[in-house]
Amino acid sequence: MLSNKTTSSAVRSAINALQHYKVLNTLTNDCFDKALETEQQLSIEKKNNSPLYGRPILIKDNFCLRDTLTTCASKMLANFRAPYTSTIVQRLIDHGCIIVGKTNMDEFAMGVASWGAFGPVANPWSLTKTTMTNVENNKTVLHVAGGSSGGSAAAVAANFVSIALGSDTGGSIRNPAARCGCYGFKPSYGLLSRLGMVALVNSFDSPGFFARNIDDLIFATNAVAGPDDEDATLLSKPFENFKTSNELSKEKKKIIIGLPDDYDVNTLSSEYRLCWQDLVHRLTETGEYTFKRVQLPYTPYSNAAYTILSSCEIASNMARYDGIKYGHHTKNIDKNKDTYEDILKKTRDESLGERVRGRILAGNYYLLEENYDKYFVQSQRVRRGVMNDYKKVFEEDKIDCLLAPVVSNDPITLAEYEQADDIFSEDDIFTVGANLAGLPALSFPVRLSSKGFPIGLQLIGPFLKDQELLSTAYRICSTYQFPFLDLTKQI
């Protein structure tokens, strides 16, 4: 019934696309039947004039939706149904959004390939003619979609839905947005409620959105931003809606953009560096932008600090997953011998992936009394240094925003990623700084590489200057046409 194409409803079109392209593995679980019922109900009773009304969306599977599986792409939560709905998801529903499904991700949002317990998300550009097939079995060679919010990014990039919800802890929205060829927006820390988003690293986690245009990012953010009495980390002051493109197009202020020398690293491929340089040249010719080289001297240490601090918070947050209160519980118990620690070890060995267990071990190691000062405390000092770097650039050097890479090269294949030993990506150096400092950042597609994959760049702005960042992004992206993918045309 769900694959019937006789109706032109937006929800059914999204469902058809998601079912047709199961090879991309964008979902952990679906809400198809409920979505169709909701769409029919909303068509009868028009409740508001929101630009999101009646639109199908997807939400990353670390956001709670009442009575719906919330797995975080982990065997630990494979059967967990959330008892409540997260603030952000509820506000989207209140604006008339229709939840079509929960998107695939890295397990507990730890990773850069969106490869959890239910398999990897594939990059939708792998299905285009610009990529190759495996000669031995004549199957399309699939590539990583980025992570950890890869399911949301892939679905938007392929045009299955126009908006999807994700989360960004160290680049988990911007990385897959750049890999898949769509917009990815991480607002300032504290702008969007984290209530009902399964915590990874409380002091870094930021909800955000994927879209195919700036206006949809604005519509979605306007719908969910604002105070929430249930989230103590949220800004308490009232939220003032962001302006949309009709108003942004009238702004002609000259913009000063910083180019961080410390992001021009050896791992950045010549093709991706050239894309960065070409955009600077193109914008300079318009006469509306001034570019300045800037220094962020703590950048070389940011990855190490992020790794240590995130592992420490992960170790604390993951302590709740013992298989007793909720989640997977081992059946391999010797009642006459096993202690609580034995049961905990068996439960986690059975239900948590190697990456997650490695982060827990690392975090507990860094938090040992003899290690605390030289790892955790020192990393906090580096974090403060990163924040001061940005503060100097924005306040003393009078830079409006930074323009920088997001990833260094085209995505590798899923087979290549499976053989890789690295737990952390070298590309994190481009993205973790904004999380360490709580700054707004937006990834946007620029052009295709020689192999036919999107090349994305990002803007990073001062704290709570999200409106200005969106405005600058809109102006920049209006100067060229990116060839967005649309796999729905091939159904």
Side-chain angles (χ1 to χ4, degrees):
M1 178 189 73
L2 294 179
S3 60
N4 186 346
K5 294 182 66 175
T6 58
T7 177
S8 60
S9 82
V11 169
R12 193 177 292 278
S13 295
I15 292 172
N16 288 338
L18 289 162
Q19 290 185 318
H20 186 81
Y21 290 104
K22 285 185 178 180
V23 65
L24 297 181
N25 199 29
T26 53
L27 299 183
T28 53
N29 52 85
D30 67 70
C31 310
F32 293 167
D33 291 326
K34 176 66 175 176
L36 288 168
E37 292 174 11
T38 303
E39 183 179 46
Q40 186 174 12
Q41 182 180 358
L42 290 180
S43 66
I44 296 172
E45 43 183 69
K46 180 81 172 174
K47 290 183 178 179
N48 61 59
N49 295 317
S50 169
L52 302 178
Y53 195 85
R55 294 176 66 173
I57 68 166
L58 295 169
I59 61 175
K60 188 177 179 180
D61 201 14
N62 60 342
F63 287 88
C64 291
L65 179 61
R66 184 170 181 170
D67 297 330
T68 303
L69 289 171
T70 300
T71 71
C72 291
S74 176
K75 292 180 182 177
M76 173 62 80
L77 296 177
N79 298 309
F80 174 71
R81 292 185 180 273
Y84 67 100
T85 297
S86 72
T87 295
I88 283 185
V89 174
Q90 186 57 58
R91 288 177 179 177
L92 289 169
I93 293 172
D94 292 342
H95 276 75
C97 287
I98 303 171
I99 312 299
V100 179
K102 309 287 288 294
T103 58
N104 202 356
M105 54 186 282
D106 285 294
E107 184 177 12
F108 284 103
M110 300 182 207
V112 292
S114 299
W115 195 326
F118 308 116
V121 177
N123 194 308
W125 289 87
S126 295
L127 304 185
T128 66
K129 294 180 181 179
T130 56
T131 56
M132 52 191 172
T133 58
N134 188 312
V135 178
E136 294 180 4
N137 53 27
N138 200 33
K139 288 186 177 180
T140 301
V141 176
L142 300 176
H143 300 75
V144 297
S148 64
S149 308
S152 290
V156 169
N159 204 24
F160 300 161
V161 294
S162 56
I163 300 173
L165 177 62
S167 63
D168 192 309
T169 304
S172 294
I173 287 176
R174 290 161 287 153
N175 177 290
R179 290 277 185 224
C180 294
C182 62
Y183 294 96
F185 178 46
K186 182 203 91 68
S188 294
Y189 184 84
L191 195 64
L192 304 188
S193 173
R194 294 188 299 111
L195 179 73
M197 184 179 82
V198 179
L200 175 63
V201 183
N202 302 61
S203 65
F204 298 159
D205 292 345
S206 178
F209 292 97
F210 298 90
R212 294 169 68 87
N213 59 66
I214 301 292
D215 269 345
D216 279 346
L217 291 178
I218 294 171
F219 293 146
T221 305
N222 284 347
V224 302
D228 179 5
D229 293 338
E230 302 299 322
D231 182 357
T233 64
L234 198 65
L235 297 170
S236 58
K237 67 177 185 178
F239 173 74
E240 187 174 330
N241 277 354
F242 296 146
K243 299 175 184 177
T244 57
S245 61
N246 288 334
E247 299 165 283
L248 296 179
S249 60
K250 301 173 185 176
E251 299 178 1
K252 293 299 180 182
K253 169 197 167 188
K254 192 160 188 174
I255 298 171
I256 303 174
I257 299 178
L259 301 174
D261 288 331
D262 304 274
Y263 284 18
D264 192 358
V265 294
N266 292 334
T267 55
L268 183 64
S269 71
S270 57
E271 185 174 19
Y272 278 51
R273 181 179 291 109
L274 183 61
C275 175
W276 188 16
Q277 294 170 344
D278 284 350
L279 183 61
V280 171
H281 179 69
R282 181 189 303 147
L283 295 177
T284 301
E285 287 187 328
T286 67
E288 297 179 10
Y289 304 87
T290 298
F291 289 91
K292 293 183 178 179
R293 310 300 303 191
V294 298
Q295 282 68 49
L296 301 170
Y298 273 88
T299 295
Y301 316 109
S302 60
N303 247 1
Y306 171 81
T307 299
I308 292 169
L309 294 175
S310 63
S311 296
C312 291
E313 291 198 40
I314 286 167
S316 176
N317 281 325
M318 294 300 293
R320 72 194 68 174
Y321 301 109
D322 56 7
I324 294 177
K325 292 183 286 293
Y326 48 79
H328 174 80
H329 182 67
T330 183
K331 292 182 172 60
N332 181 24
I333 299 175
D334 185 338
K335 295 182 179 179
N336 298 318
K337 180 182 176 183
D338 284 349
T339 63
Y340 168 77
E341 285 76 16
D342 294 327
I343 296 172
L344 177 62
K345 181 180 183 301
K346 290 179 180 179
T347 293
R348 289 184 170 178
D349 283 346
E350 293 171 4
S351 62
L352 296 179
E354 183 178 356
R355 182 186 298 270
V356 176
R357 285 183 280 123
R359 292 275 195 108
I360 294 172
L361 287 171
N364 283 310
Y365 173 79
Y366 298 138
L367 290 171
L368 290 173
E369 184 177 357
E370 61 267 30
N371 294 332
Y372 187 80
D373 285 342
K374 64 181 178 181
Y375 288 110
F376 183 79
V377 173
Q378 188 68 10
S379 295
Q380 289 286 26
R381 293 191 181 114
V382 172
R383 183 180 190 180
R384 174 59 62 184
V386 170
M387 296 173 73
N388 288 338
D389 281 351
Y390 285 119
K391 185 176 182 180
K392 177 184 180 299
V393 165
F394 293 132
E395 294 183 6
E396 296 181 23
D397 299 343
K398 306 300 181 184
I399 300 295
D400 292 314
C401 64
L402 301 175
L403 176 65
V406 185
V407 295
S408 59
N409 211 334
D410 285 343
I412 60 176
T413 67
L414 295 180
E416 288 170 334
Y417 181 82
E418 195 170 16
Q419 299 300 317
D421 295 325
D422 295 337
I423 293 181
F424 297 95
S425 167
E426 291 181 343
D427 289 342
D428 286 348
I429 195 170
F430 303 125
T431 55
V432 299
N435 297 87
L436 287 167
L439 305 179
L442 188 150
S443 172
F444 58 96
V446 180
R447 67 189 188 200
L448 297 182
S449 71
S450 57
K451 293 182 180 178
F453 287 99
I455 302 178
L457 295 172
Q458 67 173 329
L459 294 175
I460 302 172
F463 183 61
L464 290 184
K465 296 296 183 180
D466 302 58
Q467 170 71 88
E468 290 81 354
L469 192 75
L470 288 161
S471 175
T472 301
Y474 175 78
R475 286 177 60 179
I476 290 175
C477 296
S478 298
T479 64
Y480 63 90
Q481 291 290 326
F482 177 77
F484 285 97
L485 183 64
D486 187 355
L487 291 181
T488 64
K489 291 181 178 179
Q490 301 174 28
I491 299 178

